[in-house]
Amino acid sequence: MILLLVTALSDVCAGTSGFLLDFSSQTSPGTDNGEALPESIPSAPGTLPHFIEEPDDAYIIKSNPIALRCKARPAMQIFFKCNGEWVHQNEHVSEESLDESSGLKVREVFINVTRQQVEDFHGPEDYWCQCVAWSHLGTSKSRKASVRIAYLRKNFEQDPQGREVPIEGMIVLHCRPPEGVPAAEVEWLKNEEPIDSEQDENIDTRADHNLIIRQARLSDSGNYTCMAANIVAKRRSLSATVVVYVNGGWSSWTEWSACNVRCGRGWQKRSRTCTNPAPLNGGAFCEGMSVQKITCTSLCPVDGSWEVWSEWSVCSPECEHLRIRECTAPPPRNGGKFCEGLSQESENCTDGLCILDKKPLHEIKPQSIENASDIALYSGLGAAVVAVAVLVIGVTLYRRSQSDYGVDVIDSSALTGGFQTFNFKTVRQGNSLLLNSAMQPDLTVSRTYSGPICLQDPLDKELMTESSLFNPLSDIKVKVQSSFMVSLGVSERAEYHGKNHSRTFPHGNNHSFSTMHPRNKTPYIQNLSSLPTRTELRTTGVFGHLGGRLVMPNTGVSLLIPHGAIPEENSWEIYMSINQGEPSLQSDGSEVLLSPEVTCGPPDMIVTTPFALTIPHCADVSSEHWNIHLKKRTQQGKWEEVMSVEDESTSCYCLLDPFACHVLLDSFGTYALTGEPITDCAVKQLKVAVFGCMSCNSLDYNLRVYCVDNTPCAFQEVVSDERHQGGQLLEEPKLLHFKGNTFSLQISVLDIPPFLWRIKPFTACQEVPFSRVWCSNRQPLHCAFSLERYTPTTTQLSCKICIRQLKGHEQILQVQTSILESEQETITFFAQEDSSFPAQTGPKAFKIPYSIRQRICATFDTPNAKGKDWQMLAQKNSINRNLSYFATQSSPSAVILNLWEARHQHDGDLDSLACALEEIGRTHTKLSNISESQLDEADFNYSRQNGL
């Protein structure tokens, strides 16, 4: 109130200078009463003070005080007021000078402000100070200058984060500097070098301290750092690594290659490379196939061939008759050669007996000539009767000199270079096969059979000897068709007794008699219904939400139900069976059945995750020689193709290993593998084995050589049959590579000890046609050899069995055995009749523990731009094809691990998975704690639980 009054009076009252001095002395800043100075006081006429320098805002750094300055003219006095209070006069430092240009007094004053003063102030605003200057005319005030304590905190509010971006993508690195007074300035460094956004239009650093790269270039890869600084300190952020990667792109397809065969069915291929551009800096590899194949068919030239000659024409007046033939069997096609030779042939039809007028001689010859001709005719007939009688006597003597053989296998290879025919010999009096010796032969009936007596099934041999083969025929005369033609009459009659031999194999269904002449096939398959049928291999198990594994012992067939495939609180009885009868899948053209027909069910069951079905096969896998298909039988009994193994599909997945195919499916049913050979080099793997047993005759020993598809179930069928027969496995089975080159198979017995053993005549070598072997999966194919000891004291047998394909592979089976049961050394092929734990449920059915499995899936199911996701897991486990199937699954990693479980169920350890995880773990810290010891422990527990 006093100040306002004084200010008001100063405008109307005039006072002397003594009055001013008196007032000033009473109310100066140095007085103890602390009253404020007046805003203006009466003074002599002049000008108001003008500030030449006003105090500036200031920052206290650490503990250093700052100085505030004021300079004004004309000024009689200058004082600082801070936060509304006058600063004590003793704290002012004042200097006075004279402005030479105007002659006015210039006064300069400054004060020091300490950190303690600022920290002790607690007001609604910052600490501030201003100057007040006096002149004769009045007072003037300067601007307010704020005083603040400067600082910069250590931690950034937001550090920049590393980025992986594709080329030409936008890069945005965010940076929020630490809190500070004054606010920090931000600068960006790349690889420790400052970034100048003014020189690079592609980079912008002005937007709220962020670094923006509009279009990423390969040169933009590097380590980026955000630098914050003010008057107090500098701070560095964490470095952010920026990787600019390039995803791979396919080049253009090459032209289709030429067909790989000159004629017939082959294939063409074309390729492309992932070089447009090539993957860089961890960019994803190209998706899809690098090679495509299609089948091609080139027309083969067909040479012409003659039809059979027509019948001779009637005799012409010129004593000649004609016959013709046409080049239509087949006609030449596609540039093939025309038939060589004559299309018409003529010859004399009177044996040259023509007179000059072209009339036949017999029409004009006299009666004497006719009598002479009759005498010659009757003489010839008499000579022929004598010759036949001599031949019959000779054959009878020969037959009596031979041993009492029942059924003989005749081989003409010794004379013609290859096995051609077989002969059913008659038996002498006393033979067990002679059922009615009183019957006399009817020489008007004759039947001929050609081909080797290599049987597709032991039952065939039984039917040949004891079944209705002889039933409808009263008497039989069997001929041997070969380069030497022999006819043997059957003087005894064999009848069929309707009972099964004690050694009958338990086979059923229809059997093929393809070695017989087609006209003679029907009578021999009458009584098959009375024979025992083979039971179907089948196993079952009850499975729930935890899943499990169903195994068909000793067959190579298994079914893996993944964890979670069956909804919780549900359980199903799942079955699996193998068809051991006649296959229902009929081959189409050159197509061959390569696996057993496997059925799994129930068919109406629905799974949420694909299950894994493992089916063995017998193909020597090569995409260049085989085109392999997976087929499924419909409810109507027809077979439909599900997919080709080499095709891309999202409905199922086939992983073809050398001996088995692992299939991921989402529906149950009957499945099988078929193969279509593309070239002659396509190979089927056959398992060859030799069994032996004593016959009813104590001096005879029977060898049976089997050639079956190289699948465990096919050979188990043979082993089971031989057990019922009392047969003994004489040598470890071996693998034979049988090519699709149309050449036949030869089986021969070599190195039989002389003077100890002998083999029946012409049976040392037997030959099987190509088609019988190539389609042998329908029934086991075997050839039988019968050896005879010279004396009962011979107890050891040593010989070799040679199985070879003409112009193909060869295997030697070394037989070294004792024919005495007490001294026989058993060669066990299957360690036990049945495997343990055919149905496994819950965690013990899986090699990978559920906890480790979850961590692997959580790591790899998350997509990664650099491909470090489930695709890398697939690649490390040798799954490089049809990855689009896994991309459609909710958890690709889980499906890949299910496939690994099916593929490695018989492996001894988890080394393959451990190695893959160890390599991937170098870049995935989440996997680094899955140690090898954990996997070893899991493998030990699995082996212990499953008795491995």
Side-chain angles (χ1 to χ4, degrees):
M1 183 65 71
I2 296 174
L3 287 175
L4 293 174
L5 179 61
V6 172
T7 303
L9 291 176
S10 66
D11 293 334
V12 295
C13 300
T16 62
S17 60
F19 174 80
L20 176 62
L21 292 174
D22 255 340
F23 190 89
S24 299
S25 64
Q26 292 177 6
T27 59
S28 66
T31 61
D32 294 335
N33 54 18
E35 294 180 355
L37 289 174
E39 293 294 330
S40 61
I41 57 175
S43 62
T47 60
L48 291 173
H50 172 68
F51 285 98
I52 301 174
E53 181 179 352
E54 295 184 274
D56 293 326
D57 294 337
Y59 297 94
I60 295 177
I61 302 174
K62 298 182 179 179
S63 298
N64 300 323
I66 55 98
L68 297 178
R69 295 178 178 275
C70 275
K71 183 186 289 187
R73 66 182 179 188
M76 298 172 58
Q77 291 291 340
I78 300 177
F79 290 97
F80 273 92
K81 182 188 286 186
C82 293
N83 301 319
E85 297 181 357
W86 294 104
V87 179
H88 197 277
Q89 185 177 4
N90 294 338
E91 297 180 11
H92 290 73
V93 177
S94 178
E95 294 180 359
E96 188 177 315
S97 62
L98 183 65
D99 188 357
E100 298 178 354
S101 59
S102 61
L104 299 176
K105 287 184 179 181
V106 177
R107 186 174 291 277
E108 182 178 6
V109 177
F110 66 89
I111 63 172
N112 288 329
V113 180
T114 65
R115 183 186 184 96
Q116 188 66 39
Q117 289 175 309
V118 176
E119 289 179 347
D120 291 343
F121 173 70
H122 301 286
E125 56 184 352
D126 292 335
Y127 189 98
W128 60 269
C129 295
Q130 71 175 162
C131 293
V132 180
W134 282 268
S135 69
H136 292 287
L137 188 59
T139 62
S140 296
K141 295 180 181 179
S142 69
R143 64 179 292 274
K144 289 183 179 180
S146 63
V147 179
R148 304 174 68 186
I149 298 174
Y151 67 92
L152 184 62
R153 300 196 184 281
K154 291 184 179 180
N155 296 326
F156 278 72
E157 294 184 4
Q158 182 179 3
D159 286 298
Q161 300 296 317
R163 298 287 305 279
E164 295 175 355
V165 295
I167 194 167
E168 297 185 356
M170 178 179 285
I171 303 174
V172 179
L173 298 180
H174 298 280
C175 176
R176 294 177 60 188
E179 180 186 352
V181 175
E185 297 291 333
V186 171
E187 181 184 23
W188 283 93
L189 305 178
K190 175 190 173 185
N191 299 332
E192 304 301 325
E193 295 294 331
I195 296 176
D196 189 355
S197 60
E198 295 182 357
Q199 295 183 359
D200 191 343
E201 297 179 352
N202 195 38
I203 299 178
D204 184 7
T205 59
R206 297 170 296 177
D208 196 20
H209 307 307
N210 297 331
L211 173 66
I212 299 176
I213 301 177
R214 296 182 180 88
Q215 288 188 329
R217 302 155 297 191
L218 289 176
S219 59
D220 291 325
S221 298
N223 296 319
Y224 288 81
T225 307
C226 181
M227 180 74 72
N230 65 2
I231 60 176
V232 180
K234 291 184 178 182
R235 301 283 187 256
R236 289 171 58 95
S237 70
L238 297 176
S239 293
T241 301
V242 173
V243 176
V244 180
Y245 62 87
V246 180
N247 288 328
W250 288 114
S251 64
S252 300
W253 287 103
T254 61
E255 296 295 330
W256 288 104
S257 66
C259 198
N260 68 321
V261 294
R262 297 186 61 182
C263 72
R265 187 181 179 86
W267 51 264
Q268 295 174 277
K269 69 177 181 178
R270 65 176 183 174
S271 61
R272 57 180 177 174
T273 57
C274 190
T275 56
N276 187 30
L280 194 62
N281 294 339
F285 196 79
C286 304
E287 294 185 0
M289 302 176 62
S290 60
V291 178
Q292 282 185 342
K293 287 186 178 180
I294 59 173
T295 57
C296 56
T297 302
S298 302
L299 296 177
C300 296
V302 178
D303 294 338
S305 180
W306 291 112
E307 286 278 4
V308 296
W309 286 101
S310 66
E311 297 293 333
W312 287 103
S313 66
V314 296
C315 197
S316 67
E318 288 78 15
C319 301
E320 289 183 343
H321 56 183
L322 303 176
R323 65 175 179 177
I324 61 173
R325 58 180 177 175
E326 296 181 350
C327 187
T328 57
R333 296 193 304 269
N334 307 324
K337 297 179 181 179
F338 195 80
C339 303
E340 296 181 358
L342 300 175
S343 62
Q344 180 175 314
E345 189 175 65
S346 64
E347 67 177 22
N348 191 285
C349 53
T350 60
D351 294 331
L353 301 178
C354 253
I355 58 177
L356 295 178
D357 60 356
K358 302 298 183 180
K359 289 185 179 181
L361 184 61
H362 67 83
E363 294 182 0
I364 60 173
K365 61 185 178 180
Q367 183 66 30
S368 60
I369 297 179
E370 290 184 2
N371 294 337
S373 299
D374 291 341
I375 294 173
L377 175 61
Y378 293 137
S379 300
L381 289 176
V385 170
V386 173
V388 170
V390 171
L391 179 61
V392 171
I393 294 173
V395 170
T396 302
L397 294 177
Y398 172 77
R399 288 176 56 246
R400 289 181 178 178
S401 66
Q402 301 299 313
S403 300
D404 295 341
Y405 295 148
V407 178
D408 196 6
V409 183
I410 303 300
D411 184 6
S412 62
S413 59
L415 302 178
T416 63
F419 183 82
Q420 297 294 330
T421 64
F422 65 86
N423 173 33
F424 288 97
K425 284 188 178 180
T426 60
V427 292
R428 297 175 60 187
Q429 295 287 343
N431 191 301
S432 61
L433 292 179
L434 183 58
L435 303 178
N436 191 347
S437 59
M439 302 293 294
Q440 295 301 317
D442 182 1
L443 299 182
T444 62
V445 179
S446 175
R447 295 193 180 268
T448 302
Y449 310 93
S450 61
I453 184 71
C454 281
L455 306 176
Q456 274 195 302
D457 195 288
L459 178 60
D460 298 343
K461 184 176 180 181
E462 182 185 41
L463 290 175
M464 290 287 214
T465 58
E466 295 181 304
S467 73
S468 56
L469 174 63
F470 299 112
N471 188 30
L473 306 177
S474 57
D475 299 281
I476 296 180
K477 178 167 57 182
V478 180
K479 296 181 180 179
V480 178
Q481 276 188 334
S482 66
S483 56
F484 65 107
M485 298 302 296
V486 180
S487 288
L488 298 178
V490 179
S491 59
E492 299 89 6
R493 176 181 175 180
E495 295 181 352
Y496 173 69
H497 279 198
K499 69 175 183 178
N500 294 324
H501 197 277
S502 60
R503 297 182 298 157
T504 300
F505 279 37
H507 286 248
N509 302 326
N510 294 332
H511 293 262
S512 173
F513 295 91
S514 57
T515 57
M516 302 179 185
H517 196 282
R519 293 175 299 177
N520 301 327
K521 179 176 180 180
T522 305
Y524 310 137
I525 57 177
Q526 299 177 19
N527 299 319
L528 290 179
S529 59
S530 65
L531 297 175
T533 57
R534 189 186 305 276
T535 59
E536 141 186 286
L537 285 179
R538 182 185 177 95
T539 184
T540 62
V542 178
F543 298 89
H545 182 69
L546 297 179
R549 193 190 304 267
L550 192 61
V551 178
M552 189 79 72
N554 298 333
T555 64
V557 178
S558 64
L559 180 67
L560 181 76
I561 308 297
H563 181 283
I566 301 176
E568 292 190 49
E569 301 181 359
N570 286 356
S571 62
W572 286 84
E573 182 180 11
I574 298 176
Y575 63 85
M576 185 169 60
S577 63
I578 300 177
N579 177 23
Q580 286 196 301
E582 186 74 12
S584 61
L585 197 161
Q586 301 300 323
S587 300
D588 235 355
S590 60
E591 198 172 47
V592 180
L593 185 62
L594 298 176
S595 76
E597 296 175 2
V598 179
T599 302
C600 53
D604 56 344
M605 177 179 170
I606 299 176
V607 293
T608 58
T609 302
F611 62 88
L613 178 63
T614 298
I615 305 176
H617 66 81
C618 61
D620 189 1
V621 181
S622 173
S623 59
E624 295 183 355
H625 306 312
W626 282 105
N627 190 7
I628 299 178
H629 306 274
L630 175 68
K631 291 195 173 184
K632 180 180 181 181
R633 189 171 62 191
T634 64
Q635 294 181 350
Q636 293 75 25
K638 296 182 179 180
W639 286 86
E640 293 181 349
E641 181 176 333
V642 178
M643 69 173 294
S644 174
V645 172
E646 295 296 325
D647 287 347
E648 300 283 333
S649 173
T650 57
S651 60
C652 66
Y653 186 89
C654 288
L655 180 61
L656 199 64
D657 280 345
F659 299 103
C661 182
H662 311 283
V663 191
L664 295 176
L665 299 163
D666 54 12
S667 63
F668 291 93
T670 301
Y671 295 90
L673 290 175
T674 64
E676 185 178 3
I678 299 176
T679 68
D680 289 348
C681 296
V683 171
K684 273 186 64 175
Q685 295 178 342
L686 302 180
K687 185 168 289 181
V688 294
V690 57
F691 290 81
C693 70
M694 293 292 293
S695 67
C696 348
N697 185 345
S698 60
L699 294 180
D700 289 350
Y701 192 78
N702 296 326
L703 294 177
R704 289 185 291 273
V705 181
Y706 288 85
C707 297
V708 297
D709 289 349
N710 183 34
T711 59
C713 49
F715 189 68
Q716 188 197 27
E717 184 178 345
V718 171
V719 172
S720 177
D721 291 340
E722 282 291 333
R723 277 203 193 98
H724 290 89
Q725 280 288 97
Q728 179 76 21
L729 184 64
L730 303 181
E731 169 70 334
E732 288 287 348
K734 294 186 178 180
L735 206 59
L736 180 73
H737 297 282
F738 192 78
K739 290 185 178 181
N741 56 10
T742 71
F743 287 99
S744 58
L745 185 72
Q746 281 189 349
I747 304 175
S748 54
V749 182
L750 307 175
D751 299 343
I752 299 175
F755 310 114
L756 297 177
W757 293 86
R758 66 178 176 180
I759 192 169
K760 293 183 180 181
F762 306 118
T763 62
C765 179
Q766 301 183 22
E767 186 168 333
V768 187
F770 169 82
S771 59
R772 293 282 301 280
V773 183
W774 192 246
C775 301
S776 63
N777 53 6
R778 299 196 173 275
Q779 293 295 341
L781 175 70
H782 88 278
C783 290
F785 298 89
S786 182
L787 281 71
E788 184 182 5
R789 294 179 289 171
Y790 282 98
T791 63
T793 58
T794 302
T795 60
Q796 298 291 325
L797 173 62
S798 174
C799 64
K800 293 179 181 179
I801 307 293
C802 176
I803 304 103
R804 74 182 188 96
Q805 183 184 18
L806 299 179
K807 299 187 178 180
H809 190 215
E810 178 182 79
Q811 280 291 9
I812 300 292
L813 298 177
Q814 181 70 51
V815 176
Q816 182 74 41
T817 185
S818 171
I819 64 172
L820 300 179
E821 294 187 4
S822 59
E823 298 178 6
Q824 285 181 351
E825 179 181 356
T826 302
I827 300 176
T828 305
F829 186 74
F830 292 112
Q832 50 190 347
E833 178 70 22
D834 290 319
S835 297
S836 301
F837 307 105
Q840 303 164 294
T841 59
K844 67 180 181 180
F846 303 96
K847 282 196 165 187
I848 306 173
Y850 185 65
S851 58
I852 295 180
R853 183 188 187 92
Q854 282 185 310
R855 287 157 63 186
I856 294 175
C857 294
T859 302
F860 288 107
D861 281 343
T862 304
N864 187 293
K866 294 180 64 177
K868 296 176 182 177
D869 49 17
W870 61 266
Q871 299 183 57
M872 175 179 288
L873 181 64
Q875 180 184 2
K876 296 301 179 184
N877 285 281
S878 303
I879 302 173
N880 303 313
R881 186 187 52 76
N882 196 12
L883 296 183
S884 57
Y885 171 81
F886 299 97
T888 61
Q889 304 299 321
S890 58
S891 177
S893 303
V895 179
I896 292 172
L897 294 179
N898 293 338
L899 189 59
W900 186 93
E901 289 274 4
R903 193 179 190 183
H904 296 275
Q905 62 173 324
H906 299 302
D907 288 357
D909 51 42
L910 292 169
D911 283 349
S912 62
L913 183 63
C915 293
L917 293 180
E918 180 183 0
E919 184 174 349
I920 300 172
R922 300 190 187 109
T923 55
H924 277 281
T925 55
K926 294 181 181 178
L927 294 179
S928 59
N929 54 356
I930 300 179
S931 64
E932 184 177 354
S933 61
Q934 288 178 298
L935 294 173
D936 288 341
E937 181 181 358
D939 179 66
F940 173 77
N941 293 334
Y942 178 86
S943 301
R944 183 180 59 184
Q945 291 169 355
N946 295 282
L948 300 179

